[in-house]
């Protein structure tokens, strides 16, 4: 008849159309089973079914609403990227409530940074495009729209096998990406890592030039292609040079000249070319050397 049976004993269990957390059974005391900590993570309208051995079950409908922002989640993992260029797959960060539901009203500021240790040594002359500690470049902070922060131009200059990116927002649980590599990109520029200094005419330069090929991130390319050297004569004379005019990189990626010689005194620069990329050295001076031979200035007649 629907009357409370105060002498009833036993237990009542509960299950739901979505996962239920908390204590999923309660003892019947004076005909009543009191549940105290039930909850559901998934937002929406769900049913709860209460059962007890030998009794007709009953059910109830509960509406679970989205809670306030509590944490961040990466929508997908980060793919391998190319140094110096925006990631092909940019991060998408979702703002979630405690139940893992997207908070569509969230407008939290989300910031990203690289998680890694600074390199042991770094030469700003050889690697001008890089910094003492690896940095995440691009727009690293943006406001979520509809609960989602979609980054668009993040990039890393230095090629390494393993990077992780941390995403944070004030008051929320941060999220850390899985490891992903940044690989060396295609040829973008040449850099003279050792500038030449002059000598005297017909004698090998005191300091021979050294050149590296770089990608957009400033990483050295270990290319098997020939680098070509061309003497630029600002004196508008017919100066010539001797020695190796082209060479490939050594195992470390450096094109190191060893025997360049200029015959005439004057001011010069070197122009270096690899594929379609060019760069020039600083000006160096070749001076008149000590007397080494005689030449007839005017033939007798």
């Amino acid at each position: 008849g629907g009357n409370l049976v105060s002498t009833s004993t036993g237990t009542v269990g509960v299950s739901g159309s979505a996962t239920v957390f908390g204590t999923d059974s309660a003892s019947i005391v004076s005909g009543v089973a009191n549940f105290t900590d039930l909850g559901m993570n998934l937002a929406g309208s769900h049913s709860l079914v209460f059962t007890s051995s030998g009794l007709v079950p009953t059910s109830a409908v509960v509406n679970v609403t989205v809670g306030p922002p509590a944490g961040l989640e990466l929508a997908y993992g980060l793919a391998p990227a190319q140094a110096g260029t925006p990631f092909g797959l940019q991060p998408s960060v979702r703002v979630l409530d405690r139940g893992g539901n997207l908070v569509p009203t969230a407008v939290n500021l989300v910031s990203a940074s690289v998680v890694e240790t600074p390199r042991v040594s770094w030469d700003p002359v050889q690697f001008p495009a890089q910094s003492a500690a690896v940095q995440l470049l691009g727009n690293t902070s943006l406001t979520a729209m509809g609960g989602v922060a979609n980054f668009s131009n993040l990039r890393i200059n230095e090629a390494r096998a393993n990077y992780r990116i941390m995403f944070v927002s004030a008051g929320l649980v941060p999220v850390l990406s899985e490891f992903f590599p940044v690989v060396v990109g295609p040829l973008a520029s040449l850099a003279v890592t050792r500038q030449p200094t002059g000598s005297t005419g017909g004698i090998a330069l005191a300091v021979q030039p050294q050149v590296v090929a770089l990608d957009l991130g400033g990483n050295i390319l270990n290319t098997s292609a020939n680098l070509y050297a061309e003497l630029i004569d600002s004196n508008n004379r017919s100066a010539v040079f001797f020695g190796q005019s082209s060479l490939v990189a050594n195992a470390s990626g450096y094109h190191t000249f060893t025997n360049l010689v200029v015959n005439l005194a004057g001011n010069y620069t070197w122009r270096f070319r690899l594929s379609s990329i060019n760069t020039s050295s600083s000006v160096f001076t070749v001076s008149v050397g000590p007397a080494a031979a005689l030449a007839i200035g005017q033939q007798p007649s």
Side-chain angles (χ1 to χ4, degrees), residues 232-239 264 267-268:
I232 305 301
D233 183 359
S234 61
N235 314 287
N236 295 317
R237 298 187 298 171
S238 300
L264 298 181
N267 296 319
Y268 303 93

Side-chain angles (χ1 to χ4, degrees), residues 79-150:
Q82 201 170 82
T85 60
F87 301 159
L89 183 64
Q90 292 285 326
S92 179
V93 180
R94 295 156 38 99
V95 181
L96 306 180
D97 67 4
R98 289 183 60 185
N101 301 287
L102 176 69
V103 184
T105 57
V107 289
N108 301 71
L109 182 69
V110 180
S111 298
S113 61
V114 171
V115 178
E116 62 95 50
T117 55
R119 70 175 68 84
V120 176
S121 62
W122 167 68
D123 185 347
V125 175
Q126 292 189 16
F127 306 106
Q130 299 176 1
S131 59
V134 175
Q135 294 179 328
L136 183 64
L137 304 173
N139 186 8
T140 58
S141 294
L142 70 158
T143 301
M145 299 180 63
V148 181
N150 289 314

Side-chain angles (χ1 to χ4, degrees), residues 58-240:
T58 188
S59 63
V61 175
V62 61
N63 187 40
V64 179
T65 60
V66 175
L72 302 176
E73 176 191 64
L74 265 172
Y76 41 77
L78 298 181
Q82 201 170 82
T85 60
F87 301 159
L89 183 64
Q90 292 285 326
S92 179
V93 180
R94 295 156 38 99
V95 181
L96 306 180
D97 67 4
R98 289 183 60 185
N101 301 287
L102 176 69
V103 184
T105 57
V107 289
N108 301 71
L109 182 69
V110 180
S111 298
S113 61
V114 171
V115 178
E116 62 95 50
T117 55
R119 70 175 68 84
V120 176
S121 62
W122 167 68
D123 185 347
V125 175
Q126 292 189 16
F127 306 106
Q130 299 176 1
S131 59
V134 175
Q135 294 179 328
L136 183 64
L137 304 173
N139 186 8
T140 58
S141 294
L142 70 158
T143 301
M145 299 180 63
V148 181
N150 289 314
F151 293 84
S152 61
N153 63 350
L154 297 182
R155 68 187 190 280
I156 294 174
N157 275 345
E158 184 173 344
R160 287 195 186 182
N162 289 306
Y163 281 108
R164 301 180 87 178
I165 296 179
M166 175 74 80
F167 300 90
V168 299
S169 185
L172 305 185
V173 177
V175 65
L176 183 63
S177 77
E178 296 297 325
F179 287 104
F180 68 98
V182 173
V183 299
V184 175
L187 174 65
S189 65
L190 299 174
V192 180
T193 55
R194 188 173 67 204
Q195 295 289 347
T197 59
S199 185
T200 56
I203 302 298
L205 300 181
V207 176
Q208 299 280 328
Q210 185 181 71
V211 182
V212 292
L214 305 175
D215 68 4
L216 275 175
N219 302 283
I220 294 178
L221 277 72
N222 199 338
T223 173
S224 60
N226 274 299
L227 174 81
Y228 296 90
E230 176 188 0
L231 183 67
I232 305 301
D233 183 359
S234 61
N235 314 287
N236 295 317
R237 298 187 298 171
S238 300
V240 295

Side-chain angles (χ1 to χ4, degrees), residues 256-278:
T256 303
F257 292 87
T258 59
N259 60 353
L260 294 178
V261 178
V262 179
N263 67 335
L264 298 181
N267 296 319
Y268 303 93
T269 58
W270 293 107
R271 178 183 294 149
F272 301 103
R273 176 176 58 84
L274 181 64
S275 185
S276 61
I277 305 299
N278 296 275

